[in-house]
Amino acid sequence: MAVERVLSGMRPTGSLHLGHYHGVLKNWVRLQHEHECLFFVADWHALTTHYDTPEVIEESVWEMVIDWLAAGVDPANATIFIQSRVPEHAELHTLLSMITPLSWLERVPTYKDQQERLSSKDLSTYGFLGYPLLQSADILIYKATQVPVGEDQIPHIEFTREIARRFNHIYGKEPGFEEKAEAAIRKLGNKRSALYEEMRNAYQETGDEEALMAARAMIEEQQGLSLGDKERLLGYLEGGGKIILIEPEYKLTPASKMPGLDGQKMSKSYNNTISLRESPDAVAKKIRTMPTDPARIRRTDPGDPAKCPVWQLHEVYSDDARKEWVQTGCKSAGIGCIECKQPVIDAVLEELKPIQERAAQYAEDPTLVKNVVAEGCERARKLARETMREVREAMGLNYS
Ligand code: SF4
């Protein structure tokens, strides 16, 4: 099977908290063992909404990478880089902007939503309107096949697919495409060429998706074919031109269930977070002072966990026996709230301990982190350059 390439980024706009850990980082740590992964600091994206506070971005970049590494993202398994250190993203963004209808950008649902949500900022900027296209450039430049997203980001991936399709449609028609594709088929050898033709017919005549998938896998696995021939065969398979930019798939990640200290979703804007590098004393204090079921005014008043934010944390951290202890103890006033909170404090501290130990090692040695990022940028840039070479050639910009 062809190797999946996963791309994901995060905006550097402040210190990371348990919501990021449960919602994104644990997923990244798992993905890095399953696929080729590229994780990037989306500093240009941060500027689309924080253009007037660049100092926050600058401060957060390195701290964020430390948090990633501390959470278990491993540079031996994943490429970690900073978006602005790979300026090819900007070049592809500019080139794609030439073929992007304005209406496609205006209809991206997050455009209006975010403008309303962040109404204190003036987001009637060119950069903000274009950020889904910048995101498309981020994805397409690495030919990423999988992008982990939450439900609200699915339209962005659909948009990226449309852009890739439009690009391939306009620029994938090199002179003599059919002859070159036929020549590439012959390079597969007798048996495989026949199989390719058979699967191509099955897809084009009856829309057989399985045949399409099998043919794609066969091409990807084929040894000794040049990249150009592979792209021709992939394009010819679907009846189009050469496929230069790959349409990514989205990988839906369940929305983070991590509740904040007030029972709402954990988020910096609600001021209800526990950051990954919060001191144990501060963590304990924050949880001890969490609001509980307002009906439990006195220790002897029974309560209802369903009305208490502490219960939501038990749902994340406690096993069945502990949950049963909370349910019975709360409803019968058999336990007090401080008693009920202690196992949550212990569990959060236990979760944070190894993260904080690793973070301390990285924080002590900034060169280590800088080296990880420098190597990641180099690896990312190599991939980006390859795509840009093809893009420039297809768009007639390959002057020599
Ligand atoms: S006993 Fe636990 S679940 Fe019940 S109100 Fe107190 S903190 Fe909340």
Side-chain angles (χ1 to χ4, degrees):
M1 220 184 109
V3 182
E4 296 286 4
R5 183 177 286 164
V6 174
L7 177 98
S8 193
M10 213 188 267
R11 294 176 177 213
T13 52
S15 62
L16 299 191
H17 52 66
L18 282 173
H20 296 110
Y21 180 64
H22 285 267
V24 181
L25 294 174
K26 272 165 83 175
N27 191 35
W28 283 10
V29 170
R30 187 176 51 78
L31 286 170
Q32 71 184 354
H33 297 297
E34 295 169 0
H35 305 293
E36 179 186 352
C37 285
L38 294 128
F39 300 131
F40 71 101
V41 178
D43 54 348
W44 281 337
H45 282 286
L47 278 171
T48 62
T49 49
H50 289 65
Y51 55 82
D52 50 355
T53 49
E55 63 285 354
V56 178
I57 299 171
E58 198 174 354
E59 268 168 37
S60 308
V61 167
W62 297 108
E63 294 303 311
M64 190 167 85
V65 175
I66 291 179
D67 283 340
W68 291 359
L69 296 168
V73 178
D74 179 356
N77 287 313
T79 300
I80 297 172
F81 67 99
I82 299 173
Q83 183 186 29
S84 65
R85 292 274 181 93
V86 186
E88 284 79 2
H89 288 231
E91 184 183 357
L92 185 58
H93 179 215
T94 302
L95 294 180
L96 293 178
S97 76
M98 309 301 171
I99 61 159
T100 305
L102 213 47
S103 59
W104 288 17
L105 285 165
E106 284 162 344
R107 72 169 191 231
V108 173
T110 47
Y111 177 58
K112 287 236 153 50
D113 286 359
Q114 289 239 49
Q115 262 189 338
E116 280 162 21
R117 213 164 53 81
L118 303 171
S119 56
S120 57
K121 290 175 191 274
D122 178 10
L123 292 181
S124 53
T125 56
Y126 175 60
F128 184 69
L129 174 69
Y131 98 87
L133 187 65
L134 178 58
Q135 211 174 41
S136 299
D138 300 334
I139 299 168
L140 296 172
I141 205 160
Y142 297 108
K143 303 196 173 182
T145 54
Q146 298 273 339
V147 185
V149 290
E151 196 113 27
D152 59 328
Q153 292 279 309
I154 294 175
H156 290 213
I157 307 304
E158 300 288 359
F159 171 82
T160 303
R161 292 170 62 86
E162 283 177 44
I163 295 289
R165 226 172 290 147
R166 188 167 166 87
F167 183 93
N168 292 333
H169 178 73
I170 300 175
Y171 302 109
K173 292 198 171 56
E174 55 181 344
F177 174 72
E178 296 228 341
E179 293 72 28
K180 284 182 185 166
E182 290 292 343
I185 296 175
R186 288 194 293 279
K187 289 183 199 163
L188 293 172
N190 288 347
K191 215 167 127 202
R192 290 187 162 222
S193 339
L195 197 57
Y196 175 90
E197 295 282 19
E198 203 180 295
M199 293 191 283
R200 178 172 178 261
N201 287 341
Y203 175 67
Q204 292 196 10
E205 284 165 19
T206 62
D208 184 342
E209 289 283 340
E210 269 182 35
L212 177 68
M213 303 293 277
R216 276 187 190 152
M218 183 179 87
I219 298 162
E220 293 292 351
E221 280 164 12
Q222 180 74 29
Q223 307 281 330
L225 267 188
S226 71
L227 198 62
D229 275 341
K230 277 192 183 175
E231 285 163 353
R232 282 179 198 106
L233 289 174
L234 289 170
Y236 198 51
L237 192 60
E238 293 179 61
K242 183 172 163 181
I243 291 187
I244 301 160
L245 299 178
I246 308 270
E247 289 181 43
E249 304 281 342
Y250 60 80
K251 216 175 167 53
L252 192 61
T253 37
S256 164
K257 297 247 169 46
M258 190 64 202
L261 294 163
D262 56 359
Q264 300 187 78
K265 184 183 172 205
M266 189 176 279
S267 160
K268 202 168 51 130
S269 41
Y270 299 141
N271 200 16
N272 64 359
T273 61
I274 295 176
S275 76
L276 293 183
R277 282 188 265 163
E278 194 110 37
S279 76
D281 285 348
V283 171
K285 190 166 169 219
K286 279 188 170 177
I287 297 175
R288 264 190 219 116
T289 52
M290 272 178 76
T292 57
D293 177 0
R296 292 206 74 181
I297 299 164
R298 287 176 295 270
R299 165 71 175 78
T300 47
D301 294 330
D304 179 1
K307 295 180 182 147
C308 176
V310 179
W311 166 248
Q312 295 186 34
L313 288 178
H314 275 291
E315 291 218 278
V316 175
Y317 289 104
S318 299
D319 60 16
D320 288 347
R322 174 82 61 202
K323 284 192 226 168
E324 186 51 41
W325 171 78
V326 175
Q327 285 286 341
T328 316
C330 180
K331 288 176 180 166
S332 64
I335 56 168
C337 292
I338 292 289
E339 203 180 344
C340 178
K341 288 171 172 178
Q342 192 55 47
V344 173
I345 297 175
D346 295 341
V348 171
L349 291 180
E350 197 183 315
E351 181 169 61
L352 290 180
K353 194 166 180 263
I355 296 178
Q356 296 192 346
E357 282 171 0
R358 278 194 294 263
Q361 285 170 10
Y362 286 110
E364 252 171 46
D365 189 355
T367 338
L368 202 60
V369 183
K370 299 218 162 159
N371 286 345
V372 164
V373 172
E375 276 169 32
C377 290
E378 198 44 52
R379 277 211 295 266
R381 204 155 181 208
K382 199 162 163 259
L383 296 170
R385 279 192 187 127
E386 276 171 31
T387 306
M388 284 318 297
R389 189 184 41 74
E390 290 175 68
V391 166
R392 284 188 215 113
E393 191 181 307
M395 292 182 84
L397 299 168
N398 207 7
Y399 311 114
S400 50

